């Protein structure tokens, strides 16, 4: 019997929505992505792509394209804020390829986004259409259909809401307003030309070999790494939110950043003094949802729309890519349209615990990264320096249990196992029985 071919409508062409579009199209369904913006692009500078996300991208045939735009950091270093001395480090090469089956990439967000957009248009057979200037304002979950700001209504077999932190889809699904809440932190995002850094001998080590360098200090931390074939140094500096009410992104003055980080490693300050422009972003978050999937079985959510996270484990986009991969994998199994509601429940069942654990883990990282000077911080530093690795180790990328949890996630295998269970339990189309068991 031929497999059913669904019309899938994805709201939002961010990293999560495009990943889902690729995976769902590769699974044999037609995809329309609606994006509110007038151009397809990503804002911000660098992004880390850990192996749990890289493996999905590779499975979609994107190894070469991602290698071309990425840098491979050799190690993750945790440093003390005052003098930048190294407290602990976790080598990434060859570990991530050998143990986790994929690289740990860094790249510019715009390059990553472009790779995904190009893949959408490169898949043969039916195309994925990505339609810009298409803001979704309303959803009919039963039809299902979306209405755009122009008043036009578009129907589909399945609607996937991947419209980010300020998700209209989430609010429509919840039936109430659900604005993101403040986290008390903001991120300064800075880019420095690596050639400017190479003029300073004491900065040479940061641009000679790619690495992720993280300075930890009171109420703040800095994460820095190379981008663009080593041509740029990306800096993300997190500190307490000082932005005026109602503003979420604004330009900033490097002098303001220098003032906030005045007692930090002189080399970090030197890097800050080399930037020409800085922006600051308020870090917001949302509350965990009870469910992502509408009882109609024709709508679900993914990415920041349902599990936004602080970026302290560098996993937000990675888990959005995983969502897309798992959803696509499950939709590739579909034998009959009646299975769709059950499969959406399976999708949520596979994804929700993991994403919640990562969101909570990211929030907890703040306590480790932002310790005030004192007894607890001295204890943390002593444990890191002793490098006595065991579960609970403060360098989460070196804690073997937590690192395995983050990096070894095998979504494709999870799909296979869940599908077998789904078929066993649902028997001849008894999808409702399966839903009751989840
Ligand atoms: C400072 C910082 C650093 C980070 N670093 C990392 C990192 O190193 N690694 C990592 O994995 N993650 C990182 N993240 C997290 C990551 O950026 C996000 O988790 C990820 O981009 C979410 O992707 P998304 O597709 O779910 O949402 P978004 O990227 O927000 O995409 C949503 C899309 O939907 C569109 N849209 C919104 N509303 C509508 C509508 N009504 N109709 C149509 N379209 C709509 C938007 O225009 C947008 O294009 C970081 C985040 C921050 C803030």
């Amino acid at each position: 019997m031929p497999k059913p071919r669904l019309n899938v409508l994805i709201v939002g062409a961010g990293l999560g929505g495009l990943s889902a579009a690729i995976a769902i199209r590769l699974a044999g369904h037609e995809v329309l992505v609606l994006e509110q913006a007038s151009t397809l692009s990503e804002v911000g500078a660098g992004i880390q792509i850990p192996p749990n996300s890289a493996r999905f991208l590779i499975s979609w045939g994107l190894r070469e394209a991602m290698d071309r735009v990425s840098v491979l950091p050799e190690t993750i270093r945790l440093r003390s804020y005052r003098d930048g001395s190294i407290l602990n480090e976790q080598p990434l090469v060859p570990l991530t390829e050998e143990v986790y089956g994929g690289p740990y990439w860094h790249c510019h967000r715009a390059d990553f986004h472009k790779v995904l957009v190009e893949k959408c248009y490169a898949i043969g057979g039916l195309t994925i259409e990505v339609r810009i200037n298409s803001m979704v304002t309303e959803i009919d979950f039963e039809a299902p259909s979306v209405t755009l700001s122009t008043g036009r209504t578009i129907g589909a077999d399945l609607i996937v809401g991947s419209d980010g932190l300020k998700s209209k889809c989430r609010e429509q699904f919840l039936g109430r307003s659900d604005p993101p809440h403040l986290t008390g932190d903001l991120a300064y995002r800075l880019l420095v030309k690596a050639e400017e850094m190479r003029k300073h001998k004491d900065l040479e080590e940061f641009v000679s070999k790619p690495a992720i360098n993280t300075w930890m200090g009171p109420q703040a931390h800095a994460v820095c790494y190379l981008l663009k074939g080593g041509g740029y140094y990306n800096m993300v500096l997190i500190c307490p939110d000082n932005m005026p009410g109602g503003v979420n992104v604004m330009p900033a003055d490097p002098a303001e950043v220098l003032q906030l980080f005045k007692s930090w490693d002189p080399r970090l300050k030197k890097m800050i003094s080399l930037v020409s422009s800085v922006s600051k972003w308020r870090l917001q978050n949302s509350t965990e949802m009870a469910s992502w999937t509408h009882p109609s079985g024709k709508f679900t959510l993914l990415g920041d729309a349902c599990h936004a996270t602080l970026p302290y484990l560098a996993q937000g986009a990675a888990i959005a890519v995983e969502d897309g991969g798992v959803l696509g994998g499950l939709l590739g199994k579909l034998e009959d349209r009646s299975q769709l509601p059950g499969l959406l429940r399976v999708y949520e069942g596979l994804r929700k615990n993991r994403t919640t654990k990562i969101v909570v883990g990211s929030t907890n990282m703040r306590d480790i990264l932002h310790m005030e000077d004192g007894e607890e911080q001295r204890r943390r530093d002593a444990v890191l320096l002793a490098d006595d690795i065991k579960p609970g180790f403060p360098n989460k990328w070196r804690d073997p249990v937590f690192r395995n949890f983050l990096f070894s996630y095998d979504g494709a295998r999870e799909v296979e196992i869940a599908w077998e269970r789904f078929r066993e339990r649902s028997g001849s189309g008894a999808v409702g029985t399966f839903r009751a068991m989840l």
Side-chain angles (χ1 to χ4, degrees):
M1 213 168 60
K3 286 197 166 204
R5 175 174 281 170
L6 302 181
N7 285 311
V8 181
L9 192 158
I10 296 176
V11 184
L15 299 171
L18 292 177
S19 297
I22 293 167
I24 294 171
R25 176 63 197 95
L26 289 173
H29 302 286
E30 293 196 56
V31 181
L32 170 63
V33 186
L34 299 176
E35 167 56 47
Q36 66 178 2
S38 55
T39 49
L40 285 178
S41 64
E42 261 283 300
V43 285
I47 189 154
Q48 303 180 43
I49 304 172
N52 47 307
S53 161
R55 271 202 320 277
F56 270 113
L57 300 170
I58 291 168
S59 74
W60 301 333
L62 296 175
R63 170 100 216 195
E64 216 184 301
M66 288 303 296
D67 274 342
R68 250 199 318 272
V69 297
S70 301
V71 170
L72 286 176
E74 291 179 5
T75 185
I76 298 180
R77 289 200 184 100
L78 296 187
R79 295 173 179 268
S80 165
Y81 80 98
R82 278 195 189 282
D83 58 2
S85 57
I86 298 170
L87 297 170
N88 195 262
E89 75 180 283
Q90 174 56 55
L92 296 172
V93 178
L95 174 94
T96 70
E97 293 274 10
E98 286 182 358
V99 178
Y100 301 111
Y104 197 115
W105 280 312
H106 282 162
C107 68
H108 197 285
R109 279 168 182 266
D111 291 334
F112 184 15
H113 193 263
K114 190 161 174 256
V115 165
L116 295 179
V117 171
E118 285 175 359
K119 179 68 186 179
C120 285
Y121 287 111
I123 301 173
L126 295 166
T127 51
I128 301 171
E129 187 184 347
V130 185
R131 211 176 278 172
I132 54 173
N133 293 315
S134 302
M135 181 195 280
V136 170
T137 53
E138 256 183 73
I139 301 175
D140 178 333
F141 295 99
E142 298 292 341
S145 64
V146 299
T147 303
L148 304 183
S149 54
T150 55
R152 185 171 168 212
T153 295
I154 305 174
D157 297 310
L158 168 64
I159 295 172
V160 180
S162 60
D163 50 346
L165 176 68
K166 295 178 198 144
S167 172
K168 186 84 192 163
C169 293
R170 181 177 72 239
E171 292 196 328
Q172 290 263 311
F173 174 60
L174 292 171
R176 60 177 164 83
S177 141
D178 186 33
H181 57 75
L182 304 184
T183 61
D185 284 352
L186 69 76
Y188 285 100
R189 287 168 141 173
L190 307 85
L191 269 188
V192 189
K193 278 197 179 139
E195 67 186 40
E196 289 303 314
M197 289 175 60
R198 287 195 183 94
K199 292 177 187 163
H200 302 267
K201 210 159 179 40
D202 55 344
L203 301 185
E204 182 62 31
E205 72 167 289
F206 300 106
V207 281
S208 58
K209 282 194 178 158
I212 304 165
N213 282 291
T214 299
W215 284 256
M216 304 182 291
Q219 296 185 48
H221 74 280
V223 183
C224 304
Y225 50 86
L226 278 169
L227 285 183
K228 293 265 181 199
Y232 282 90
Y233 202 60
N234 182 67
M235 304 173 71
V236 180
L237 274 57
I238 310 285
C239 65
D241 185 353
N242 60 14
M243 291 174 69
V247 182
N248 295 324
V249 185
M250 62 190 284
D253 185 346
E256 158 190 344
V257 191
L258 276 173
Q259 178 60 22
L260 284 166
F261 288 81
K262 64 174 187 264
S263 56
W264 288 51
D265 184 353
R267 293 170 302 172
L268 187 74
K269 287 186 290 188
K270 194 180 267 184
M271 293 176 210
I272 298 170
S273 71
L274 296 176
V275 307
S276 47
S277 69
V278 189
S279 57
K280 55 180 176 177
W281 301 60
R282 179 169 257 147
L283 294 180
Q284 300 177 87
N285 217 337
S286 55
T287 311
E288 188 185 356
M289 302 175 73
S291 165
W292 306 343
T293 303
H294 193 270
S296 67
K298 297 169 187 170
F299 171 88
T300 194
L301 289 163
L302 67 74
D304 274 13
C306 53
H307 50 66
T309 174
L310 279 169
Y312 304 161
L313 286 171
Q315 283 280 341
I319 53 179
V321 170
E322 286 180 3
D323 288 345
V326 168
L327 184 58
L330 288 168
L331 293 178
K333 300 289 184 192
L334 200 73
E335 294 167 330
D336 187 276
R337 282 167 185 262
S338 65
Q339 293 170 326
L340 182 58
L343 278 188
L344 293 186
R345 290 281 170 192
V346 174
Y347 157 71
E348 184 175 323
L350 288 181
R351 299 298 305 150
K352 200 155 183 299
N353 286 348
R354 172 170 171 80
T355 52
T356 299
K357 197 167 166 188
I358 289 175
V359 171
V360 171
S362 301
T363 304
N364 292 344
M365 269 310 278
R366 174 164 43 190
D367 297 337
I368 295 171
L369 295 167
H370 291 189
M371 274 180 197
E372 295 287 352
D373 289 341
E375 191 48 44
E376 206 186 347
Q377 162 267 322
R378 282 192 289 278
R379 228 182 0 256
R380 176 200 69 190
D381 291 0
V383 169
L384 287 170
L385 281 168
D387 200 27
D388 180 13
I389 312 160
K390 50 187 171 207
F393 192 66
N395 180 353
K396 290 296 159 202
W397 296 275
R398 195 150 173 78
D399 170 345
V401 175
F402 197 75
R403 186 184 63 229
N404 285 346
F405 161 71
L406 286 182
F407 290 175
S408 68
Y409 180 74
D410 188 343
R413 193 175 138 71
E414 299 261 329
V415 165
E416 290 305 324
I417 296 168
W419 172 246
E420 283 313 312
R421 289 181 56 211
F422 177 81
R423 293 195 77 207
E424 272 167 32
R425 292 183 181 189
S426 59
S428 50
V431 169
T433 315
F434 180 73
R435 282 182 59 176
M437 287 193 282
L438 280 172

